[in-house]
Amino acid sequence: MKLLTHNLLSSHVRGVGPRGFPLRLQATEVRINPVEFNPDFVARMIPKVEWAALLEAAETVRTLPHARVHLPGEWGGGEWSHRQPRARGGTPGDDLGLCPQLHLVEVPKGPIEGYEHDEKFLRQMHHVLLEVDVLEGTLQCPESGRLFPISRGIPNMLLSDEETET
Amino acid sequence: MLTFCISSLPCPPPHASIAMDSNSQSNYKLSKTEKKFLRKQIKARHTLLRHEGIETVSYATQSLVVANGGLGNGVSRNQLLPVLEKYGLVDALLMPPHKPYSFVRYRTAEEAKKAYVTLNGKEIVDDLGQKILLYLNFVEKAQWKELGLQALPPGLMVVEEIISSEDEKMLLESINWTEDIDNQNVQKYLKHRRVKHFGYEFHYENNNVDKDMPLPGGLPGICDSFLEKWLKEGFIKHKPDQLTVNQYEPGHGIPAHIDTHSAFEDEIVSLSLGSEIVMDFKHPDGVTVPVMLPRRSLLVMTGESRYLWMHGITPRKFDTVQASKGLQSGIITSDVGDLTLSKRGMRTSFTFRKVRQTPCNCSYPLVCDSQMKETPPSFPESAREASQLEQDYVHRVYEEIAEHFSSTRHTPWPRVVEFLKSLPCGSLVADVGCGNGKYLGVNKELYMIGCDRSQKLVDICRERCFQALVCDALAVPLCSGSCDACISIAVIHHFSTAERRVAALQELVRLLRPGGQALVYVWAMEQEYNKKKSKYLRENRISQGKEEGTSSDTAMPELLVEQVPNVGSRDSECCVSSVTDLPEGGHKARTVTNAKLPVHTNRTSFPSQDLLVPWHHQGNPGEGKPGHPAGAHDPGPVFHRYYHVFCEGELEATCQTLNSVSILQSYYDQGNWCVILQKV
């Protein structure tokens, strides 16, 4: 599940309505997945992003220990054309053993003026929105507390019959 | 590149009127209808070559292939032959069984040319009274596969000389037809023949065995060695536990029947002793295949030949056989040049079967007593019943068939692709009921999220690196107004009440931002719209991997070349009652109460709007055992999926009840009713 997808998800437990957003993300396993950079595409996403939710989700991923973050080199898949893969551990400023990619990449706090043409900004957003893939974890409804599992990258948002009944 | 026949032969289609002399070929301009006709003729050629390996030629010969004029699409010999004979002396008319074409050979090429010129594009009436167009092409010679194992009923095999003459004599002498009445092996004298049962008694009142009352003694000892040998050599896969010995005197027969599904397992074998005989196999479509069973041969029936085809022996004293083949096994063709009579002798058959201990689960539910006995589900009366029905007949089924289903869903429909490609770069699109993710990768400039109720199908999306989640279409966990567009292709017809269908549509609208568009496709009741059969009906039986699953029980004739649609006329099978079924302020009027849902026969018209459609799940093909009949694989279980197919106008009417929605487009596409909605 990409963080852009998470940004659109909302709990549909009965009676919760708009208070079901955003779902609280708890990630236990994440993979960084290189995706081809399309600046036009990213620029068009920016106005649609709910920033607070994005920042919250990015922070939970950022604070994951090393062992829980799989980097592209590991599985030998995908091109990594615009960034050097970082070695695990021993990186300067990385004493906390935090997810190196997000630690290095600053997550912008909001859209900046002229973002459409700001490549650095767009690349950062591209990384956060599209290249972080949550494999295992949970999503929690902020209102009802109901937990939805994420397994093999797939959130299961099915409610039981009781939960959907009027 | 095939050249148009026009350039080598001056043979314009019958309905064109062109004045032409031999020098004006270069000035020849084709009218629209002629071009269309030529396209169809070329398409027929291509289909024949691709599917049947039939090569056509562009010069005149004595032989023609007549596309759409075959037994396989409902044209009989006595309809076609008189038509052909008008143009010359017909040497032969060869109509291969089950094929949508036939071959005609005229005495001379001149006569063939006359037929070619006049009959091309000609309309004839098939045996259902439907008008079809014939397309003719020249061939060097009639080419179709030898009538050998190819045209035997699938799963059927005849093993010749499986026992020696001595063993035959021994077996015949071992049967004591005049035993005492209080002997456990009960002997009955039936109208046409004598029978004896071993292992289990077969009851003719209900054509079944009593599984709880095995006959003492089991199978006769002398059979053991044969059965072991046949098992070892792979002629049979299972050890039978029931034997019926039938004795047919000349003039005796047995009426055509299918051995009761619930009584016996797949494999049924019959050893013929004393005399050869011709056994008739009948397919429900009406095709009859006469098969010669020589003396000392073993007939093996599995799969389709055991479960679907009927077999019987006509009570008569002479059989019609093929002179050239003598008494070899094989099909008796209707080749008038080769037939002769064979006098019957006394024939005894040893039919070995294995008694079923569990209900039958074959792929032929309509002729299966186990499956027809199951209480069919009924039309739901409440939301809970609706949800349960969908759980049993939609969700559970898709979970079971996910992989197979996915393999038949590979070609995105063009108009859906068109819709997706028309969306601007960076659009957020939800695919509600995304299935195997067929549409999720169509336009790389979009951010698409797939939702499906089936975990297995979502797993397949994930394998393809798409964003997908598991959820119910009635409660999509995306924020309201977050999507620039939505699609829901072949989904809403799985909801079993009008309320739920409306709710599913309302959910799509909720997801859209103002101005956003949704594309919805649902199966149409009218599979033949504007006199043009949808792909579902038209699909050729032979080809694999079709869009709408596989089927073995088709009743509609299939044409090689589609009809020219009759513009202006419409099928009027609309059921007005369904439109009044829509909820108004929560109160619903139901027109159908407590009705059972009918089971549909694949590749035929829908009998009603609410029905169950079979899915034949392919089991694993039989491993390569020596001598095992080709094509005899595990039939695999059949699943029933619930559908509510939509009448013309019904989808539109349903959308009109939604809040804040306007209908941009409404159309029919390949057996589906479609709308494009916009949120205002």
Side-chain angles (χ1 to χ4, degrees):
Chain A
M1 183 198 70
K2 301 186 187 204
L3 294 188
L4 176 52
T5 300
H6 166 263
N7 206 252
L8 300 165
L9 290 178
S10 175
S11 164
H12 49 298
V13 170
R14 216 153 251 293
V16 150
R19 296 182 309 281
F21 178 88
L23 293 166
R24 209 150 287 144
L25 172 65
Q26 275 270 47
T28 52
E29 203 179 321
V30 162
R31 186 172 72 202
I32 305 298
N33 226 1
V35 172
E36 202 183 310
F37 176 60
N38 180 343
D40 185 29
F41 181 87
V42 181
R44 287 168 193 270
M45 284 304 156
I46 303 303
K48 303 176 189 181
V49 169
E50 288 289 329
W51 286 92
L54 178 67
L55 293 174
E56 211 181 294
E59 188 60 19
T60 62
V61 173
R62 201 183 69 82
T63 52
L64 270 182
H66 255 157
R68 298 194 175 272
V69 180
H70 303 286
L71 300 175
E74 238 173 75
W75 292 351
E79 273 180 33
W80 193 242
S81 53
H82 59 281
R83 177 175 292 119
Q84 291 296 316
R86 285 290 180 178
R88 280 184 166 295
T91 319
D94 198 23
D95 354 315
L96 298 173
L98 299 175
C99 169
Q101 303 310 321
L102 282 187
H103 184 70
L104 253 81
V105 170
E106 281 170 34
V107 183
K109 302 285 183 277
I112 60 178
E113 203 173 302
Y115 70 81
E116 299 97 319
H117 312 290
D118 188 330
E119 188 177 316
K120 179 168 171 235
F121 171 86
L122 290 175
R123 282 189 180 274
Q124 284 169 343
M125 293 309 295
H126 167 84
H127 178 69
V128 169
L129 290 170
L130 304 175
E131 292 188 327
V132 178
D133 195 8
V134 179
L135 296 178
E136 303 287 328
T138 57
L139 294 164
Q140 187 174 39
C141 172
E143 178 77 4
S144 68
R146 209 304 193 164
L147 287 166
F148 298 97
I150 304 171
S151 173
R152 287 165 298 134
I154 300 167
N156 187 326
M157 312 295 295
L158 268 179
L159 291 172
S160 69
D161 280 340
E162 293 81 51
E163 286 171 303
T164 45
E165 243 154 63
T166 5
Chain B
M1 184 68 191
L2 289 172
T3 52
F4 288 156
C5 72
I6 283 287
S7 58
S8 53
L9 292 163
C11 53
H15 46 276
S17 54
I18 316 108
M20 197 176 117
D21 60 52
S22 49
N23 292 329
S24 66
Q25 279 176 10
S26 53
N27 297 332
Y28 192 88
K29 276 204 162 80
L30 299 176
S31 75
K32 222 177 180 177
T33 15
E34 288 166 273
K35 282 187 190 153
K36 199 182 234 172
F37 163 77
L38 277 168
R39 269 206 303 276
K40 299 257 180 197
Q41 190 188 32
I42 287 166
K43 185 176 176 181
R45 269 194 218 151
H46 284 143
T47 310
L48 286 167
L49 183 62
R50 197 173 53 239
H51 289 299
E52 307 287 333
I54 294 170
E55 276 183 42
T56 57
V57 295
S58 56
Y59 48 86
T61 63
Q62 283 169 273
S63 305
L64 292 158
V65 59
V66 184
N68 284 355
L71 293 174
N73 66 285
V75 175
S76 67
R77 180 174 288 264
N78 58 22
Q79 285 169 295
L80 187 58
L81 191 55
V83 171
L84 294 168
E85 281 176 328
K86 284 202 203 124
Y87 305 98
L89 218 59
V90 172
D91 252 359
L93 171 59
L94 299 167
M95 303 189 80
H98 319 304
K99 299 291 185 188
Y101 57 82
S102 46
F103 296 96
V104 57
R105 191 173 69 239
Y106 283 94
R107 184 56 57 86
T108 64
E110 276 309 304
E111 289 161 299
K113 224 179 356 174
K114 248 199 275 176
Y116 174 85
V117 169
T118 328
L119 282 181
N120 239 323
K122 188 184 168 82
E123 206 178 71
I124 67 163
V125 176
D126 72 8
D127 56 22
L128 286 180
Q130 296 189 297
K131 297 201 191 115
I132 53 182
L133 293 176
L134 300 175
Y135 294 95
L136 280 72
N137 279 291
F138 287 107
V139 290
E140 274 294 348
K141 59 175 169 55
Q143 312 142 25
W144 91 95
K145 290 162 195 147
E146 285 257 324
L147 283 183
L149 282 169
Q150 228 68 30
L152 277 177
L156 194 85
M157 173 172 77
V158 179
V159 187
E160 296 189 61
E161 294 293 336
I162 201 170
I163 59 167
S164 64
S165 297
E166 295 80 41
D167 285 336
E168 181 189 33
K169 191 156 174 267
M170 189 252 302
L171 281 168
L172 284 171
E173 284 169 359
S174 74
I175 319 154
N176 191 339
W177 290 105
T178 57
E179 271 175 293
D180 296 343
I181 293 176
D182 51 35
N183 188 294
Q184 291 119 352
N185 292 322
V186 187
Q187 189 178 294
K188 304 243 158 47
Y189 195 103
L190 293 170
K191 202 159 80 160
H192 284 291
R193 63 196 196 278
R194 292 207 282 188
V195 294
K196 273 184 87 133
H197 300 288
F198 299 86
Y200 290 82
E201 182 166 0
F202 189 80
H203 297 284
Y204 291 94
E205 314 86 61
N206 61 352
N207 282 324
N208 214 320
V209 290
D210 192 343
K211 296 157 206 231
D212 302 319
M213 298 250 297
L215 295 167
L219 262 52
I222 38 163
C223 298
D224 280 342
S225 59
F226 296 115
L227 294 172
E228 285 300 320
K229 185 156 168 269
W230 298 343
L231 264 170
K232 202 161 134 223
E233 288 175 7
F235 296 127
I236 63 174
K237 282 209 287 191
H238 306 286
K239 188 119 187 265
D241 54 15
Q242 199 270 343
L243 165 66
T244 297
V245 182
N246 278 288
Q247 190 179 70
Y248 299 83
E249 289 190 30
H252 285 173
I254 182 170
H257 64 282
I258 302 174
D259 283 28
T260 307
H261 288 206
S262 64
F264 304 110
E265 297 274 6
D266 192 357
E267 204 170 56
I268 293 177
V269 299
S270 192
L271 181 65
S272 293
L273 308 169
S275 167
E276 56 290 329
I277 208 157
V278 172
M279 181 176 278
D280 295 313
F281 284 83
K282 291 190 166 85
H283 187 277
D285 285 353
V287 175
T288 300
V289 179
V291 179
M292 161 62 80
L293 304 180
R295 270 176 87 163
R296 301 184 290 276
S297 71
L298 184 72
L299 167 69
V300 180
M301 292 192 296
T302 60
E304 207 180 290
S305 65
R306 180 261 178 278
Y307 285 114
L308 185 66
W309 293 67
M310 297 203 293
H311 57 274
I313 293 174
T314 313
R316 56 191 180 197
K317 296 201 171 148
F318 289 85
D319 280 318
T320 306
V321 299
Q322 273 188 265
S324 57
K325 293 193 89 179
L327 296 172
Q328 288 171 56
S329 71
I331 300 176
I332 321 290
T333 62
S334 49
D335 184 352
V336 290
D338 192 37
L339 296 178
T340 186
L341 292 176
S342 162
K343 193 168 176 194
R344 281 193 189 173
M346 170 115 91
R347 171 183 174 263
T348 305
S349 69
F350 276 56
T351 301
F352 295 94
R353 298 178 280 204
K354 184 166 197 301
V355 171
R356 275 199 84 98
Q357 299 298 338
T358 55
C360 180
N361 192 17
C362 66
S363 307
Y364 314 95
L366 293 178
V367 288
C368 178
D369 63 311
S370 294
Q371 293 178 66
M372 292 310 271
K373 230 196 303 182
E374 262 174 33
T375 341
S378 39
F379 199 81
E381 299 278 296
S382 68
R384 169 159 295 193
E385 274 181 34
S387 178
Q388 190 60 48
L389 176 72
E390 289 156 23
Q391 177 58 39
D392 294 336
Y393 291 95
V394 181
H395 308 311
R396 188 186 58 105
V397 175
Y398 278 111
E399 275 297 275
E400 298 266 357
I401 69 177
E403 232 176 87
H404 181 216
F405 175 80
S406 176
S407 68
T408 64
R409 260 66 179 168
H410 41 75
T411 315
W413 286 341
R415 292 190 75 170
V416 180
V417 173
E418 196 186 302
F419 175 82
L420 290 171
K421 289 209 157 137
S422 73
L423 299 170
C425 170
S427 294
L428 287 168
V429 184
D431 183 347
V432 180
C434 62
N436 67 346
K438 186 162 92 166
Y439 294 108
L440 298 178
V442 158
N443 183 347
K444 308 262 185 287
E445 307 251 283
L446 307 174
Y447 191 79
M448 283 193 77
I449 298 177
C451 311
D452 204 273
R453 184 68 175 61
S454 160
Q455 176 75 57
K456 287 226 175 78
L457 285 173
V458 174
D459 286 341
I460 293 172
C461 294
R462 178 68 199 183
E463 274 166 41
R464 298 177 177 178
C465 302
F466 297 137
Q467 290 290 283
L469 47 103
V470 180
C471 72
D472 195 300
L474 296 179
V476 180
L478 295 173
C479 297
S480 302
S482 62
C483 296
D484 296 301
C486 298
I487 62 172
S488 181
I489 311 300
V491 177
I492 295 181
H493 52 212
H494 282 311
F495 285 104
S496 56
T497 67
E499 268 154 346
R500 291 165 79 80
R501 294 187 284 271
V502 170
L505 285 165
Q506 196 71 71
E507 198 48 8
L508 286 178
V509 176
R510 180 186 71 78
L511 298 178
L512 291 173
R513 60 148 172 85
Q517 292 180 13
L519 174 65
V520 181
Y521 267 54
V522 292
W523 250 10
M525 171 91 181
E526 303 87 346
Q527 282 301 311
E528 192 181 328
Y529 185 66
N530 271 352
K531 289 251 192 284
K532 194 174 162 174
K533 290 197 178 83
S534 74
K535 199 156 184 252
Y536 173 69
L537 288 183
R538 279 205 325 264
E539 217 80 84
N540 192 318
R541 234 192 283 187
I542 308 155
S543 48
Q544 300 299 314
K546 295 191 280 296
E547 275 298 295
E548 299 300 328
T550 56
S551 160
S552 57
D553 50 350
T554 174
M556 288 292 267
E558 289 136 5
L559 298 169
L560 201 65
V561 183
E562 48 185 279
Q563 292 301 335
V564 176
N566 193 345
V567 181
S569 75
R570 286 181 164 204
D571 278 340
S572 54
E573 275 186 27
C574 189
C575 312
V576 182
S577 62
S578 62
V579 177
T580 63
D581 249 1
L582 302 170
E584 274 171 283
H587 176 69
K588 254 190 92 352
R590 255 190 208 296
T591 51
V592 185
T593 44
N594 232 0
K596 298 284 181 198
L597 294 167
V599 176
H600 172 58
T601 301
N602 282 344
R603 305 223 177 283
T604 65
S605 316
F606 295 122
S608 84
Q609 281 193 277
D610 294 279
L611 69 162
L612 301 171
V613 178
W615 176 279
H616 302 291
H617 193 49
Q618 295 303 308
N620 294 319
E623 295 312 307
K625 267 204 164 177
H628 205 76
H633 49 259
D634 258 337
V638 68
F639 294 93
H640 291 145
R641 288 171 301 164
Y642 168 81
Y643 281 85
H644 169 90
V645 295
F646 282 66
C647 263
E648 181 172 6
E650 187 186 337
L651 181 60
E652 266 189 76
T654 315
C655 292
Q656 267 149 13
T657 69
L658 302 170
N659 301 321
S660 9
V661 141
S662 74
I663 298 175
L664 293 185
Q665 252 191 78
S666 173
Y667 58 92
Y668 180 87
D669 183 17
Q670 282 303 312
N672 297 281
W673 288 116
C674 322
V675 284
I676 300 182
L677 306 171
Q678 186 168 50
K679 184 160 180 177
V680 298

